[in-house]
Amino acid sequence: MKVLFIGGTGIISQAISKQLLKQNSELYVLNRGNRNMDLPTNVKTIIADINEEEKVKELIKDLEFDVVADFIAFVPEHLERDYRLFQGKTKQYIFISSASAYQKPLSDYRINEGTPLSNPYWEYSRNKIHCEEYLMKLYREENFPVTIVRPSHTYDEKSIPLGVHGRKGSYQVIDRMLKGKPVIIHGDGTSLWTMTHNSDFAKGFLGLMGNIHAIGESVQITSDETLTWNQIYQCIADCLSVEFKPYYVSSSFLDAVSEYDFNGSLLGDKANSVVFDNSKLKRLVPDFAATKRFDQGVAETIEFVLSHKEFQILDEEFDIWCDRVIEALEQAKTEILKK
């Protein structure tokens, strides 16, 4: 199979690349070349900014593909460009959407591909919805061979997945845990969530590539394991061998008192209880099974992060903000309880 990935160096795409090349496929990656040192050595690189359309058109003029997958398309304009570039040059075009595009607030915590798409909280998700609508119109009217994939919270070995963190990633929360400080958890920690290891996501994605039954379809790829946020943080604390010290704050309050995008990432995503029904994926890819349990996967991630200083990125601004939120709420309790 001859494949082109646009982007190709992210959490999801790197795992797919590694598994794909074990199948003796021919993989091309088109990007600006800034992070290609992390790619397998047998990947063929096309160095270009995908937005430089005429340059890219020239670079791929003699190439055709079985699959083109764009991992860095976020707005319909990106897809309009891809359609101009790859119409007639690929047997399948895969767009990476997002499970955050599903209806918020949810009318049913059980999510499948039939769940309505609507997210008034997060522009990112609304843009993904617009992208899906554009592509399905192309499929219906132009026979463009589209497959839409919806990942949820997917993680790898380099970043510990959490609910509430600052702009510099999740490590500052880990630092708070290691120092015995309380960590902020949205809500009361009992809402349901799903974490998917990128190696499991890759299994499902590979099963959709070159799959004639996936053309014209939207498919979510997640683990079948469902956890509460308390369980997620407890697993992390156990791996760190520290006491779990949660400090519960409502998602709406966190959004109201921060400059972080909690309106989107919490109210429009993680604050909602979700349980994914992957029946459709399993019909299309009968041998799919997510086998990396969260406590196992996050243990590997924590071991990697703690042994690689370059991934231990501190965020003093977020740390101070957490302390201020906790202090303010504790003071409010004291004032309310005064007689």
Side-chain angles (χ1 to χ4, degrees):
M1 188 160 50
K2 192 172 182 179
V3 178
L4 172 67
F5 286 172
I6 302 168
T9 59
I11 289 174
I12 289 174
S13 52
Q14 283 198 49
I16 300 168
S17 297
K18 291 175 182 178
Q19 293 190 29
L20 179 65
L21 290 168
K22 291 178 183 178
Q23 301 179 354
N24 297 317
S25 292
E26 186 178 3
L27 175 60
Y28 291 75
V29 169
L30 192 160
N31 59 36
R32 291 176 291 182
N34 297 333
R35 295 170 56 194
N36 285 352
M37 69 288 296
D38 296 328
L39 291 172
T41 55
N42 49 341
V43 170
K44 298 180 180 180
T45 57
I46 302 174
I47 305 302
D49 184 334
I50 186 64
N51 294 306
E52 297 176 341
E53 188 174 335
E54 290 305 313
K55 179 180 179 180
V56 172
K57 185 178 180 179
E58 179 64 21
L59 289 170
I60 65 170
K61 66 179 181 180
D62 296 324
L63 296 173
E64 292 188 358
F65 303 97
D66 296 299
V67 178
V68 171
D70 193 335
F71 293 89
I72 55 173
F74 300 104
V75 295
E77 289 78 10
H78 295 162
L79 302 179
E80 291 168 6
R81 173 205 63 210
D82 285 1
Y83 178 64
R84 291 191 295 268
L85 285 168
F86 300 110
Q87 180 187 20
K89 294 182 76 68
T90 184
K91 297 175 184 176
Q92 183 184 31
Y93 175 90
I94 302 180
F95 168 64
I96 290 70
S97 184
S98 170
S100 69
Y102 288 122
Q103 180 185 67
K104 305 296 184 309
L106 289 162
S107 58
D108 189 332
Y109 71 94
R110 295 163 296 188
I111 290 180
N112 61 32
E113 290 79 2
T115 299
L117 303 183
S118 176
N119 192 329
Y121 300 97
W122 206 356
E123 183 181 14
Y124 165 82
S125 304
R126 292 194 297 274
N127 283 333
K128 289 290 189 179
I129 294 169
H130 295 324
C131 286
E132 290 198 24
E133 291 170 345
Y134 172 75
L135 286 174
M136 292 311 295
K137 186 173 186 292
L138 285 181
Y139 169 70
R140 291 190 299 268
E141 298 180 2
E142 306 295 337
N143 202 31
F144 191 52
V146 171
T147 298
I148 294 168
V149 171
R150 297 178 187 143
S152 185
H153 200 158
T154 308
Y155 70 102
D156 66 358
E157 77 280 7
K158 297 177 183 177
S159 179
I160 299 163
L162 291 170
V164 179
H165 58 77
R167 297 185 181 91
K168 296 182 180 180
S170 63
Y171 184 74
Q172 187 60 57
V173 181
I174 305 308
D175 185 69
R176 290 180 67 88
M177 285 185 162
L178 292 170
K179 290 176 177 175
K181 300 176 74 173
V183 295
I184 291 176
I185 297 180
H186 59 279
D188 62 0
T190 61
S191 59
L192 303 175
W193 196 245
T194 296
M195 297 285 193
T196 306
H197 196 272
N198 66 345
S199 61
D200 282 332
F201 181 91
K203 296 175 192 175
F205 194 92
L206 287 172
L208 297 175
M209 293 175 63
N211 186 334
I212 59 172
H213 303 293
I215 303 299
E217 297 288 350
S218 301
V219 189
Q220 62 193 27
I221 304 176
T222 78
S223 170
D224 290 318
E225 181 183 24
T226 303
L227 301 156
T228 67
W229 283 102
N230 283 328
Q231 289 174 316
I232 290 167
Y233 278 78
Q234 184 67 66
C235 283
I236 293 169
D238 289 345
C239 291
L240 296 170
S241 299
V242 299
E243 182 184 354
F244 174 40
K245 296 182 179 180
Y247 195 91
Y248 300 111
V249 185
S250 79
S251 298
S252 57
F253 184 84
L254 289 172
D255 177 51
V257 300
S258 81
E259 297 179 356
Y260 307 110
D261 186 21
F262 291 145
N263 188 59
S265 65
L266 288 183
L267 300 180
D269 197 31
K270 298 178 182 67
N272 298 268
S273 280
V274 295
V275 176
F276 290 99
D277 175 2
N278 290 304
S279 300
K280 184 174 184 178
L281 173 64
K282 291 172 183 177
R283 288 197 302 272
L284 293 169
V285 187
D287 59 349
F288 172 78
T291 56
K292 183 77 74 173
R293 210 170 62 214
F294 179 71
D295 61 327
Q296 300 168 333
V298 81
E300 295 171 3
T301 301
I302 289 171
E303 181 180 3
F304 181 90
V305 169
L306 293 184
S307 61
H308 290 77
K309 286 283 187 183
E310 64 270 30
F311 296 105
Q312 298 171 23
I313 302 171
L314 295 173
D315 188 343
E316 184 179 4
E317 178 186 275
F318 178 72
D319 194 46
I320 292 171
W321 177 82
C322 289
D323 290 337
R324 289 180 61 204
V325 169
I326 293 170
E327 180 183 2
L329 289 173
E330 288 302 303
Q331 288 178 355
K333 288 180 188 177
T334 301
E335 288 296 319
I336 292 170
L337 292 172
K338 278 183 179 178
K339 294 184 179 180

